[in-house]
Amino acid sequence: LWVLLAPLAIRVVYGSAFAPAVAALQVMAGVCVVAAIHGHYRYALIAAGRHRDEMITSGMGTLAALPLIPIGYAQWGLMGAAGALVVGECAIWVSAWWFTRGHVPLGWLGVHLVLPSMVIGGLMWIVTRLPPNSVRLAAAVAIVVVGATVAAVATQPEARQALARLIRDKPADLHS
């Protein structure tokens, strides 16, 4: 939805002079996807009383993104800067997993990081091969968002069980 509405949002909020920012805004959907995934690890740290560790994860994202933003912008313009922010979110994801693994049973690293990373990476590779500001680009980024979400849910046993309960149970039974 973010990807599909980006052209309209830019035009309405900022005017057509800012149309070159549409593709960068669409790439920023990747930030939302990765943040949705790493948020669970960060909330687990907070719940475990590991506030310092949770703050360090934010610092790791900053350390990853800060040098990459000007480099990305110099090489690829707004798309490069937006990509640097996605990399920063990925750094938060990995560091949040790293700190969480000692306090919450997470299972093997590959289940929680590798499969979703491969899906995101593969789909983003496809997206970068498409012309910017095209309907195909919007559709591809939407596929990345859905694919990453499905990969994340598929690798989380608790999420699969919750989804199965949601499908199996009546809505009134979900609150009991």
Side-chain angles (χ1 to χ4, degrees):
L1 189 60
W2 174 306
V3 173
L4 297 174
L5 293 178
L8 176 65
I10 292 287
R11 191 172 56 251
V12 169
V13 176
Y14 298 106
S16 48
F18 286 84
V22 168
L25 183 59
Q26 290 171 325
V27 169
M28 294 295 292
V31 169
C32 294
V33 170
V34 178
I37 296 169
H38 73 56
H40 299 293
Y41 297 111
R42 295 176 72 198
Y43 294 136
L45 287 171
I46 292 168
R50 308 295 298 189
H51 303 277
R52 181 181 164 277
D53 293 343
E54 193 276 330
M55 291 301 294
I56 291 171
T57 65
S58 294
M60 298 301 285
T62 301
L63 286 174
L66 200 57
L68 292 177
I69 292 170
I71 293 168
Y73 183 77
Q75 292 292 314
W76 301 285
L78 292 174
M79 295 287 284
L85 292 174
V86 174
V87 170
E89 288 298 317
C90 289
I92 292 171
W93 179 15
V94 171
S95 62
W97 172 84
W98 180 261
F99 284 115
T100 305
R101 68 182 171 72
H103 306 287
V104 177
L106 296 176
W108 182 65
L109 166 67
V111 174
H112 297 282
L113 293 176
V114 175
L115 179 60
S117 297
M118 288 172 36
V119 170
I120 291 170
L123 294 173
M124 288 305 289
W125 181 84
I126 293 168
V127 167
T128 59
R129 301 304 184 261
L130 299 172
N133 295 328
S134 72
V135 174
R136 289 188 310 169
L137 175 64
V141 174
I143 290 168
V144 168
V145 170
V146 172
T149 304
V150 168
V153 170
T155 61
Q156 304 291 329
E158 298 84 10
R160 287 193 309 271
Q161 292 167 357
L163 183 60
R165 276 195 315 273
L166 183 66
I167 293 168
R168 181 186 67 234
D169 297 341
K170 293 179 265 179
D173 296 339
L174 293 176
H175 301 291
S176 57

